[in-house]
Amino acid sequence: MLDHTVELLQAGVARGELRPGTDCEAAGREILAVMDGLQIQWVLAPASVDMPARLRGFLDRLLRDLSPA
């Protein structure tokens, strides 16, 4: 899973969608860590965690940080 995520991020760098010099492995690990943590929270209390919304919010913030503009 990490390899696939890193490849997707590297492709974003190559297309100019993400900043040059982006540490794709670190970003990939952060994405997977957040996903894992949200899944654990959801398993423990599914009614109290809007997993898609929380993940979307995290990814939006990460994209703003990694965006070249």
Side-chain angles (χ1 to χ4, degrees), residues 1 5 27-39 41-42 49-64:
M1 184 66 124
T5 304
R29 288 186 185 281
E30 290 174 13
I31 291 167
L32 295 178
V34 168
M35 289 174 62
D36 289 348
L38 288 170
Q39 288 172 14
Q41 291 178 40
W42 179 79
V49 178
D50 185 349
M51 204 166 54
R54 295 290 178 193
L55 181 59
R56 191 176 312 111
F58 169 75
L59 293 175
D60 285 345
R61 289 187 301 277
L62 180 64
L63 181 58
R64 281 194 301 270

Side-chain angles (χ1 to χ4, degrees), residues 1-55:
M1 184 66 124
L2 177 60
D3 291 341
H4 180 67
T5 304
V6 170
E7 288 172 9
L8 291 172
L9 292 166
Q10 289 171 337
V13 171
R15 289 189 303 267
E17 297 167 351
L18 302 176
R19 275 188 294 109
T22 294
D23 186 343
C24 294
E25 183 172 340
R29 288 186 185 281
E30 290 174 13
I31 291 167
L32 295 178
V34 168
M35 289 174 62
D36 289 348
L38 288 170
Q39 288 172 14
I40 289 169
Q41 291 178 40
W42 179 79
V43 165
L44 295 173
S48 67
V49 178
D50 185 349
M51 204 166 54
R54 295 290 178 193
L55 181 59

